[in-house]
Amino acid sequence: MADQFLKDLEDSGLREPSEMRPLVIKWIEERFPGVESIPTQTLQQWMEDKPGELLLLDTRSLAEFEVSHLPEAILVPPETDAVKEIFKAWFKQEYEGYHRHIVCYCTVGYRSSMTAQLLSDYLCHETNQNFITSSMIYNLQGGLVKWASEKRWMVDQYNHLSSKMHPYSEVWAKLLEPEFKVETEGNV
């Protein structure tokens, strides 16, 4: 599915990252219609105004996370069960009157949309709570590619400010302007 989209994107003739990103966002949102996306500007406002109400889940690899991530984000690679354990701990806090919005993110939003969908399904299945909806769980629209291209702040593994990001793959690297890319050898 993703392979065909990526081939179509390459065949489109578009070469500017700013032209390609909206197509990728649209494609991801069509693949995950039950996942609510949050715009980058909204997330930045939440991070500034109410950081204690956010649970940021970075659904990329350790190599990607070490280059840059959002401050206070928790690394939960999607191929592990860590996301369910983190959510169980969060859910206990929720019932104790502590409210948070969960925002998942990755490079462009595909892996984080899968994680957001998994969390939404888990919430409905495990808790049998109809009053809690998936609107508490968001995907960062456009992922870190969009975030970085808008020159929003990130930190590296040492918590130092970083403007660069790991592009995940050569294909997704085309969505980033050169000044934001960390050179990598192949895919993650």
Side-chain angles (χ1 to χ4, degrees):
M1 186 181 313
D3 292 337
Q4 183 60 49
F5 171 75
L6 295 173
K7 182 181 178 330
D8 293 346
L9 186 62
E10 285 198 21
D11 294 344
S12 71
L14 297 174
R15 298 294 172 244
E16 291 298 317
S18 61
E19 295 174 329
M20 292 187 281
R21 282 191 297 266
L23 298 176
V24 173
I25 291 169
K26 181 180 179 203
W27 177 75
I28 291 169
E29 289 178 348
E30 287 173 352
R31 296 293 165 283
F32 298 94
V35 174
E36 188 171 344
S37 292
I38 181 173
T40 53
Q41 63 270 24
T42 301
L43 178 57
Q44 182 169 345
Q45 194 66 50
W46 286 1
M47 290 170 70
E48 292 168 2
D49 294 347
K50 46 187 171 182
E53 295 180 18
L54 290 173
L55 179 60
L56 301 173
L57 302 181
D58 188 315
T59 64
R60 301 174 304 147
S61 70
L62 178 61
E64 292 170 279
F65 185 83
E66 287 178 341
V67 171
S68 62
H69 57 273
L70 297 180
E72 306 299 322
I74 298 169
L75 175 64
V76 286
E79 64 276 358
T80 69
D81 287 333
V83 71
K84 288 182 181 178
E85 295 306 314
I86 289 169
F87 190 68
K88 284 179 187 177
W90 170 84
F91 195 71
K92 285 181 184 178
Q93 290 178 339
E94 178 70 19
Y95 271 111
E96 294 169 6
Y98 190 75
H99 181 72
R100 289 188 178 194
H101 294 290
I102 299 173
V103 180
C104 304
Y105 71 90
C106 64
T107 303
V108 296
Y110 192 86
R111 292 174 287 174
S112 53
S113 289
M114 287 191 311
T115 301
Q117 185 64 59
L118 173 79
L119 289 176
S120 293
D121 293 347
Y122 172 81
L123 180 63
C124 291
H125 181 262
E126 293 294 319
T127 64
N128 295 319
Q129 301 295 326
N130 294 326
F131 66 93
I132 299 175
T133 67
S134 62
S135 65
M136 295 183 316
I137 303 169
Y138 304 91
N139 177 57
L140 178 59
Q141 187 179 58
L144 275 194
V145 164
K146 187 170 188 287
W147 187 270
S149 71
E150 294 171 349
K151 300 179 180 172
R152 298 181 190 275
W153 43 285
M154 301 178 288
V155 295
D156 65 14
Q157 64 184 330
Y158 304 108
N159 216 28
H160 299 139
L161 289 178
S162 176
S163 61
K164 304 256 186 204
M165 68 166 286
H166 190 299
Y168 178 69
S169 70
E170 290 179 30
V171 175
W172 292 135
K174 294 175 184 176
L175 299 175
L176 266 177
E177 287 80 1
E179 66 265 26
F180 303 119
K181 286 183 221 174
V182 167
E183 295 302 319
T184 61
E185 293 183 26
N187 296 351
V188 173

